[in-house]
Amino acid sequence: MIKKLASRVRQYKRQAIATPLFMVGEVAMEALIPMIMAMLIDRGIGTDARPGSMEQVFLYGGLLLAAALVSLLSGVMSGRMAAVSSAGFARNLRHDMYYRIQDYSFSNIDKFSTSSIITRLTTDVTNVQNSFQTILRMAVRAPLTLLFSLIMAMTINARISTVFLFTLPVLGFGIYMIMSRTHPIFQRVFKTYDKLNNVVQENLHGIRVVKNFVREDYETKKFTGISGSIYTDFVKAERNIALMSPLMMTCIYTCTLVISWLGAKAIIASGNDPAAGLTTGQLMSLITYVIQILSSLMMVSFTFLMITMSRASAQRIVEVLEEEPDIESPENAVTEVRDGSIDFDHVSFSYAKDSERETLEDIDLHIPSGAVVGILGGTGSGKSSLVQLIPRLYDATKGTVRIGGVDAKEYDLTALRDSVAMVLQKNELFSGTIRENLRWGNENATDEEMEEACRLAQADPFIQDFPDKYETKIEQGGTNVSGGQKQRLCIARALLKKPKILILDDSTSAVDTRTDALIRAGFRSYIPETTKLIIAQRVSSVQDADMIVVLDNGRVADTGTHEELLERCGIYREVYESQTKGGGADE
């Protein structure tokens, strides 16, 4: 895990290496300052100061100032380098995670869930960034401070300096207990964050439904419940962490008292003679060094705390980075789709590998290039699952899907998906202008090509009614256009792609039957060689198709033309009669 994360530092290695180097200068000066202060006291203003001692005051005062300035400069540079490297590290993490996610298949995304991925890209990356910065500074500063201060303290008086050793078992045991109780809480709280993000995302996405059904109070209670769980967990964690400060202060004050008592006895016994024992200045510097030693242990404990907090986040980030996409381009992949012919050779499919029931079962279909194929079936019959196997959004569990006579798994993914355009019932428009959204289908499309595609999709008339026409701003998710307008824009976007296979997954459900008929007529004239698969609930949307496929519980119930199915397929006849007799076909 550490190796995986460390490789993301990349172009910020220089700053990451410079951070501890500057830290060495800062710590060295901080260790030297108490010794200079002791000399200033003893030789400049102490009881053993001689005539002309002001020269000593100026000398050691100047050294103090110089050491403080070097320490300040080193600290500033260390902090700056740490900030740059940690921010860059977080940037690289987000970049690599995001690009990794782009390679995921739908099954990979289903495994993590959208809300969990968002938490990992935001909260978890921030936690790891803070931990990385702490490691660069405190993980270097603490042991260096401990080493330098220990050497200086031992140089002054080895016997008194060992006092702090008696506090180490107490401090170590206390830190271990705090960490062991805190880590499980942080593991739990980050999973709760996923639930919180899911609730927020679901609420905002469906805010119109929430308001329509007056469910604001219910959604608020749901949010408050999960938010309260996070609050409770953080209170428990912070309560444990809060014990570290009094534990540390107790150890520091105890050591200070003991050293003061032993040091005072040594000064009295030696008559403030450094050759005989200890001086006043040395005692003051000794107390400072012992405080630095214990403070460095506090820094170590704080570093462990940050690592504990970020450990769960780091594991979640690495999970995203290590997740292998279920669907990838093979070596020596086929880069050109010959035509739009589609063959399902005894294909079965299930979303979960260990599922007892298959979503699609033994599908055997052969669709010639350029054909218009209608797909009809009840909810849950597998219509959308069937067409998602064509551009390899999912892979068949059994059997083979062939596009243009070649196994879909042998194609380069980009080449295959460039040859297939899908328009979903709940297709997405993105924030930007209508023109920018249309160019998702073809970024090099001319204005004439866009207008022609929009005319065929019956989108041009309402676009012309907008004051800014094709420069009209689309809000996120296309919330400022109607459902039918959104579907027609998505169809126009797909037409600009000029695909070999066009899939309409119930994508004209929000338009009237006349507009639906005009769109289908436009398909025949504009893309006659393109294979067109039309999933629909209305028989009128597919009755003029070259072939109609009737699905029932994941199996092909029958195939044929409208007239053939009326004659021999009970399911199709029942749907047709229910819509025509009930007036459904004209709605």
Side-chain angles (χ1 to χ4, degrees), residues 199-208 210 219:
V199 168
V200 173
Q201 180 185 6
E202 190 177 60
N203 179 270
L204 294 177
H205 188 72
I207 192 65
R208 288 170 173 77
V210 172
E219 289 293 318

Side-chain angles (χ1 to χ4, degrees), residues 63-87:
L63 289 174
L64 273 176
L65 180 60
L69 288 174
V70 172
S71 177
L72 174 64
L73 180 61
S74 299
V76 169
M77 291 303 298
S78 176
R80 179 180 175 82
M81 294 295 105
V84 171
S85 58
S86 61

Side-chain angles (χ1 to χ4, degrees), residues 35 116 298 309 402 409 437 454 456 472 518 558:
M35 184 64 74
S116 177
M298 183 67 173
M309 288 178 62
R402 294 187 180 87
K409 294 180 180 179
N437 271 275
C454 287
L456 291 165
T472 300
L518 290 172
D558 207 343

Side-chain angles (χ1 to χ4, degrees), residues 150-221:
L150 186 58
I151 292 172
M152 300 299 283
M154 289 295 182
T155 301
I156 294 171
N157 192 302
R159 183 176 65 87
I160 297 178
S161 299
T162 56
V163 167
F164 80 93
L165 294 175
F166 295 101
T167 64
L168 288 182
V170 177
L171 196 58
F173 178 75
I175 292 171
Y176 170 76
M177 291 299 296
I178 291 170
M179 297 303 172
S180 61
R181 294 175 63 183
T182 303
H183 179 62
I185 296 175
F186 284 120
Q187 282 186 311
R188 182 170 65 248
V189 80
F190 292 130
K191 291 180 180 178
T192 311
Y193 265 126
D194 291 346
K195 296 179 183 177
L196 183 71
N197 279 341
N198 187 53
V199 168
V200 173
Q201 180 185 6
E202 190 177 60
N203 179 270
L204 294 177
H205 188 72
I207 192 65
R208 288 170 173 77
V209 178
V210 172
K211 290 188 175 297
N212 187 49
F213 283 88
V214 197
R215 298 288 282 176
E216 292 92 341
D217 290 343
Y218 172 78
E219 289 293 318
T220 300
K221 288 178 182 178

